[in-house]
Amino acid sequence: MTTQPSTQTRAIDRIRSDVRAMHAYVVQHSVGYLKMDAMENPFSLPEALQRQLGERLGRLPINRYPGARLDELKAALLAYAGAPKDAAILLGNGSDEIISLLALALAQPQRGQRATMIAPMPGFVMYPMSAQLQGLDFVPVSLTADFELDEAAMLAAIAEHRPAITYLAYPNNPTATLWSEASVQRVIDAVGEQGGLVVMDEAYQPFASRSWITRMQAEPERNAHVLLMRTLSKFGLAGVRLGYLIGPAAIVHEIDKVRPPYNVSVLNCEAALFALEHTDVFAAQAQEIRTGRTALVEQLRAMPGVLQVWDSEANMVLIRVADAARAYEGMKARKVLIKNVSTMHPLLTNCLRLTVGNAADNAQMLAALQASL
């Protein structure tokens, strides 16, 4: 006798097969752990500012949809970023939503072929995921062995695949590298010749020595197909979930058409405006993290069992050890969470990614690492 599938099973079968084959993005449970796996700012707001923010949020008309304050936030972010004069801005629920919106807007087939997305790898996992979900072909281009941009390979891939979107993380995650400005510009030029868009992902800009915004200001025509994506997560507002995309108005306005209405809440908007009124506080926090990063890299390079430590332009440090899985589990047993990236890409064999925290967090993380090697 044949057993009929349940109604639930039949309903699940209606879900796309590629989605059913995927793995959901997993966030580790962190209660009771030192959380050094997500590049979060370790500093909370000073108590006086917490009270001020709480009072402002408490006065918001949460019975109403978001309104004109979003326009004020856009203007404040454009000014904060130093955007070119005629640039426009799009707001997202974190940069993750913006990545999805870009894929959705640019999924148009060309010459009978599916649209293509290109990005150097290892890189941010949301690039290929967004391509898959929105029906683009994703073409990874491997970095060099020392995690530099392979310019020749990028140019060849661009010429062959004519990408609709090319992502350049500046600096990159998880390698924390900031690639040669000249190489990046030549890649941008090549994409422009093929009629595609380049997205400069500057999620870690508060900790980097330079930003692509200066090239967008200095050479607007050469970068007329470039969009700059940032987030306030690494700025210090990971819980607020606010990303933004800056670029030529004609392009940004088209992308904005696929954005859901009211995707940024009044609470998120007001918290971001408040933070931008106190940029000095967050700048001081970023400086402390950069100083701590220098010390952390030096200590890691002196630690027996750490085989390699890469320079960092972000609030993370990539290291290689003899057995990444063992070190990860050992640190977890000692209540310290880090990211084992060793299975993400062949270049990352036995690599761990460590968040740069405050001095106490860094010391605890180093002690756990040393005991786990």
Side-chain angles (χ1 to χ4, degrees):
M1 181 177 177
T2 303
T3 303
Q4 293 295 321
S6 68
T7 56
Q8 184 181 79
T9 299
R10 294 201 303 271
I12 290 174
D13 286 343
R14 292 295 188 100
I15 297 172
R16 285 166 38 183
S17 60
D18 63 323
V19 171
R20 283 183 277 130
M22 292 172 64
H23 296 285
Y25 191 97
V26 176
V27 178
Q28 297 187 82
H29 295 293
S30 59
V31 176
Y33 290 84
L34 174 63
K35 198 170 187 302
M36 305 294 278
D37 63 335
M39 290 82 72
E40 294 156 319
N41 183 327
F43 303 106
S44 59
L45 278 175
E47 287 188 14
L49 293 184
Q50 289 181 28
R51 288 192 295 271
Q52 292 176 35
L53 176 59
E55 291 169 2
R56 275 175 63 163
L57 296 181
R59 292 194 297 266
L60 290 175
I62 58 174
N63 57 314
R64 303 292 185 187
Y65 287 114
R69 292 291 275 173
L70 287 173
D71 292 330
E72 295 177 37
L73 176 57
K74 289 179 181 180
L77 285 168
L78 285 168
Y80 170 74
K85 180 181 177 183
D86 298 323
I89 186 170
L90 177 151
L91 303 180
N93 191 319
S95 56
D96 293 339
E97 183 185 38
I98 294 174
I99 292 169
S100 296
L101 296 179
L102 284 163
L104 179 62
L106 288 152
Q108 178 173 248
Q110 295 286 330
R111 301 175 182 175
Q113 301 293 322
R114 295 203 329 169
T116 300
M117 178 190 297
I118 285 179
M121 286 285 139
F124 190 31
V125 296
M126 290 304 296
Y127 305 153
M129 184 179 292
S130 69
Q132 178 180 342
L133 291 175
Q134 303 299 345
L136 291 84
D137 289 331
F138 182 76
V139 177
V141 179
S142 183
L143 297 172
T144 67
D146 55 355
F147 300 126
E148 292 299 326
L149 192 66
D150 190 332
E151 182 182 337
M154 285 292 294
L155 295 179
I158 290 163
E160 179 182 355
H161 298 285
R162 303 174 61 87
I165 315 174
T166 299
Y167 276 100
L168 295 171
Y170 198 75
N172 187 46
N173 172 19
T175 63
T177 42
L178 192 63
W179 300 314
S180 159
E181 193 170 326
S183 291
V184 168
Q185 185 65 71
R186 285 190 288 269
V187 168
I188 288 173
D189 293 344
V191 174
E193 291 172 4
Q194 301 291 349
L197 284 176
V198 175
V199 181
M200 299 298 295
D201 185 350
E202 292 197 344
Y204 301 92
Q205 183 275 329
F207 316 103
S209 59
R210 61 183 185 270
S211 165
W212 202 256
I213 202 82
T214 58
R215 295 299 291 261
M216 294 171 71
Q217 294 165 335
E219 297 185 273
E221 290 301 320
R222 199 174 179 187
N223 292 278
H225 57 295
V226 174
L227 301 172
L228 186 82
M229 183 172 68
R230 290 185 181 175
T231 175
L232 292 184
S233 292
K234 313 311 172 186
F235 178 84
L237 302 181
V240 170
R241 307 305 302 131
L242 190 85
Y244 56 103
L245 188 74
I246 292 173
I251 298 175
V252 172
H253 290 162
E254 293 300 323
I255 307 299
D256 193 51
K257 293 176 182 178
V258 300
R259 177 184 54 81
Y262 313 124
N263 64 323
V264 174
S265 78
V266 294
L267 296 168
N268 295 20
C269 175
E270 199 65 34
L273 278 167
F274 182 84
L276 291 171
E277 293 167 12
H278 300 281
T279 54
D280 57 327
V281 173
F282 294 95
Q285 292 175 356
Q287 179 57 55
E288 187 168 342
I289 291 169
R290 290 193 297 269
T291 300
R293 177 182 67 193
T294 300
L296 180 62
V297 167
E298 291 175 353
Q299 291 168 297
L300 286 165
R301 284 179 173 155
M303 184 179 292
V306 176
L307 306 180
Q308 195 166 2
V309 183
W310 281 269
D311 291 334
S312 171
E313 289 268 358
N315 63 337
M316 60 182 134
V317 179
L318 186 73
I319 66 171
R320 177 168 282 132
V321 297
D323 188 336
R326 178 187 173 201
Y328 168 80
E329 292 298 340
M331 294 183 73
K332 188 174 182 180
R334 293 169 175 84
K335 299 298 181 181
V336 177
L337 293 178
I338 59 166
K339 186 75 170 180
N340 180 4
V341 297
S342 60
T343 61
M344 287 177 55
H345 190 277
L347 289 176
L348 293 171
T349 300
N350 280 321
C351 284
L352 303 170
R353 189 191 66 195
L354 315 177
T355 298
V356 182
N358 59 35
D361 291 347
N362 292 342
Q364 184 178 344
M365 178 175 65
L366 284 169
L369 174 63
Q370 189 164 33
S372 303
L373 292 174

